[in-house]
Amino acid sequence: MATPHINAEMGDFAPAVLMPGDPRRAQRIAELLFDEPRMVNDVRGMMGFTGEINGKPLSVMGSGMGQPSFSIYATELFRFFGVERIIRVGTCGGIAPQVKVGDVVVAMGAHTDSSMNQLRIPGVNFSAVASYNLVRAAVDAASEEDTVHVGTIISRDHFYFAPEGQAQKLADYGVLGVEMEAAALYGVAAEHGKEALTVLTCSDHLFDSSSDMTAEERETRFQSSLRLAVAAALS
Ligand code: HPA
């Protein structure tokens, strides 16, 4: 049965879904991974595809940007399409000094300035954490060429605004990077008793703009985190 944002039927999506923010990236990932990608959603241009890797089904769909957009798609996938695990694949801004542009960040937990998880359990600061099995599978899949950091990130609501001194404080607390979706994904997964993970490529650094990636580099370096995400999805 179609939902307001996904024009598909039960069974169209695989139990595991990779979710980049950009629907065109979802299409490129599907073309890269699958011999015969089948489009399963195109509502609002948010393309979703299902295919197979070594006989195992996998889906890829865009999420849009920000926690509200991600929450809508994750909720509908978990609730109405039999999806059991969602792995966000995306980029982050580096915060910790050891995270360099092109490195992979596996987000074990996500701090947030969003109110979305604050609303979940009255009187509680919800802990937005990834599924341990997926973290382990992703990290186990790393090869010697990959530089992988495992730890916390922050999922912020603003891209262009930050309170004075916030980035430095986050660095002081060992936060690896910043993006805009993971905390919401982890909240929606907990709400539905499902599994979730976020694997990011560092695309730029908040304290070192000299090392920002070009669009082309972004695409190649993205392959490393994609490999880890696929390994987790199919584990
Ligand atoms: N914020 C800042 N820099 C970034 C982000 C973000 O959400 N994503 C990638 N680089």
Side-chain angles (χ1 to χ4, degrees), residues 91-93 158-159 178-180 203-204 206:
T91 57
C92 69
H158 281 280
F159 186 87
V178 52
E179 51 84 87
M180 303 183 72
S203 59
D204 51 271
L206 267 53

Side-chain angles (χ1 to χ4, degrees), residues 16-19 28-30 32-34 51-54 56-60 85-89 104 106 133-134 137-142 197-200 222-235:
V17 183
L18 300 182
M19 297 191 77
R28 287 199 295 275
I29 292 172
L32 189 76
L33 295 179
F34 308 142
E52 280 190 3
I53 298 180
N54 300 328
K56 287 188 179 177
L58 182 65
S59 295
V60 190
R85 46 175 66 162
I86 291 177
I87 291 114
R88 161 163 156 72
V89 286
V104 179
V106 175
N133 285 341
L134 298 185
V139 174
D140 283 351
L197 179 67
T198 298
V199 184
L200 305 163
F222 187 64
Q223 306 272 341
S224 228
S225 56
L226 181 60
R227 189 161 33 76
L228 270 58
V230 170
L234 300 180
S235 64

Side-chain angles (χ1 to χ4, degrees), residues 67 88 90-96 99 104-113 128-130 149-156 170-171 173-186 197-202:
Q67 304 195 51
R88 161 163 156 72
T91 57
C92 69
I95 293 180
V99 176
V104 179
V105 171
V106 175
M108 200 158 62
H111 307 293
T112 187
D113 59 4
V129 294
H149 307 271
V150 185
T152 60
I153 60 164
I154 178 153
S155 304
R156 286 167 30 80
L170 289 164
Y173 277 78
V175 175
L176 299 172
V178 52
E179 51 84 87
M180 303 183 72
E181 292 84 13
L185 166 61
Y186 296 169
L197 179 67
T198 298
V199 184
L200 305 163
T201 309
C202 176

Side-chain angles (χ1 to χ4, degrees), residues 39-110:
M39 194 187 272
V40 289
N41 187 47
D42 65 352
V43 178
R44 289 176 181 249
M46 197 55 78
M47 291 179 285
F49 302 86
T50 296
E52 280 190 3
I53 298 180
N54 300 328
K56 287 188 179 177
L58 182 65
S59 295
V60 190
M61 186 170 86
S63 68
M65 288 179 280
Q67 304 195 51
S69 180
F70 207 111
S71 298
I72 288 169
Y73 292 112
T75 299
E76 292 184 9
L77 289 173
F78 285 143
R79 221 176 261 183
F80 302 110
F81 296 101
V83 171
E84 293 295 325
R85 46 175 66 162
I86 291 177
I87 291 114
R88 161 163 156 72
V89 286
T91 57
C92 69
I95 293 180
Q98 73 272 23
V99 176
K100 307 294 181 198
V101 168
D103 288 0
V104 179
V105 171
V106 175
M108 200 158 62

Side-chain angles (χ1 to χ4, degrees), residues 128-169:
V129 294
S131 303
Y132 173 70
N133 285 341
L134 298 185
V135 172
R136 194 174 56 179
V139 174
D140 283 351
S143 70
E144 278 181 10
E145 297 94 71
D146 304 316
T147 307
V148 182
H149 307 271
V150 185
T152 60
I153 60 164
I154 178 153
S155 304
R156 286 167 30 80
D157 277 346
H158 281 280
F159 186 87
Y160 288 111
F161 169 83
E164 180 95 31
Q166 188 192 67
Q168 186 55 55
K169 267 284 172 211

